[in-house]
Structure formats: structure tokens, C-alpha cells
């Protein structure tokens, strides 16, 4: 099963990617490092093409409440808009 892990190069995401691969899944570690930006939507359609599931373990770049709220509002919206069906 193809699974996209948004934030897949981070501390938690990289551990999740490793565990999913051990269980035989095709895993895409998606992050800004791999050309996917959940806030702008850049690279989302390519990363998510044919994916069965998306796991979001991204982290906001700020701890300021309004910034965190805006980050997750935009990021989640982009992930939902970019979803595809296998």
C-alpha cells in the first residue's frame, strides 16, 4: 500500500516512515526537503498520486497561537484538496 507521510523527514516522521517500510508499505517521505510544501501546495499532487493514505506529522514553524492555527488551517486544507484515489 502506498502511504504518504507529510513531514516524513522530521523526527517523528522519519521513525514512522521506517516502521511503515518494515511492514512492507511503499512509503513517500514528503516534506519541503523532497519538494512538497503543505502550506503552498507545491509538489502535493505528485507526492500523493496513487496514495492509499496520507499521514500528517508536520509541525508549525512557530509556537505563536495565531501562526500555529493558520499553519494547520492552510496545511490541512492543501492536503485535503490534494488527495487522490488509487
Amino acid at each position: 500500500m502506498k502511504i504518504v507521510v507529510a513531514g516524513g523527514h522530521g523526527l517523528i516522521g522519519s521513525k514512522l516512515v521506517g516502521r511503515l517500510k518494515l511492514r512492507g508499505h511503499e512509503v513517500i517521505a514528503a516534506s519541503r526537503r523532497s519538494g512538497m510544501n503543505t502550506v503552498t501546495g507545491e509538489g502535493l499532487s505528485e507526492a500523493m498520486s496513487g496514495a492509499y493514505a496520507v499521514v500528517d506529522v508536520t509541525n508549525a514553524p512557530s509556537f505563536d497561537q495565531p501562526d500555529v492555527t493558520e499553519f494547520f488551517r492552510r496545511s490541512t486544507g492543501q492536503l485535503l484538496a490534494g488527495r487522490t484515489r488509487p
Side-chain angles (χ1 to χ4, degrees):
M1 168 185 327
K2 180 178 177 182
I3 301 171
V4 175
V5 179
H9 288 108
L11 178 65
I12 295 169
S14 60
K15 292 177 190 232
L16 177 60
V17 166
R19 288 180 179 247
L20 290 170
K21 285 183 176 181
L22 283 174
R23 286 169 175 76
H25 297 289
E26 175 189 356
V27 184
I28 305 298
S31 68
R32 289 188 312 254
R33 184 184 309 170
S34 66
M36 188 192 88
N37 186 319
T38 60
V39 174
T40 66
E42 178 184 357
L44 277 178
S45 61
E46 296 85 0
M48 294 173 64
S49 177
Y52 184 81
V54 178
V55 180
D56 182 6
V57 292
T58 57
N59 197 9
S62 166
F63 294 111
D64 185 46
Q65 186 60 45
D67 293 340
V68 170
T69 300
E70 181 62 13
F71 172 82
F72 284 111
R73 185 190 67 75
R74 293 183 70 195
S75 179
T76 301
Q78 291 287 2
L79 288 170
L80 289 171
R83 70 187 186 277
T84 60
R85 302 218 180 231

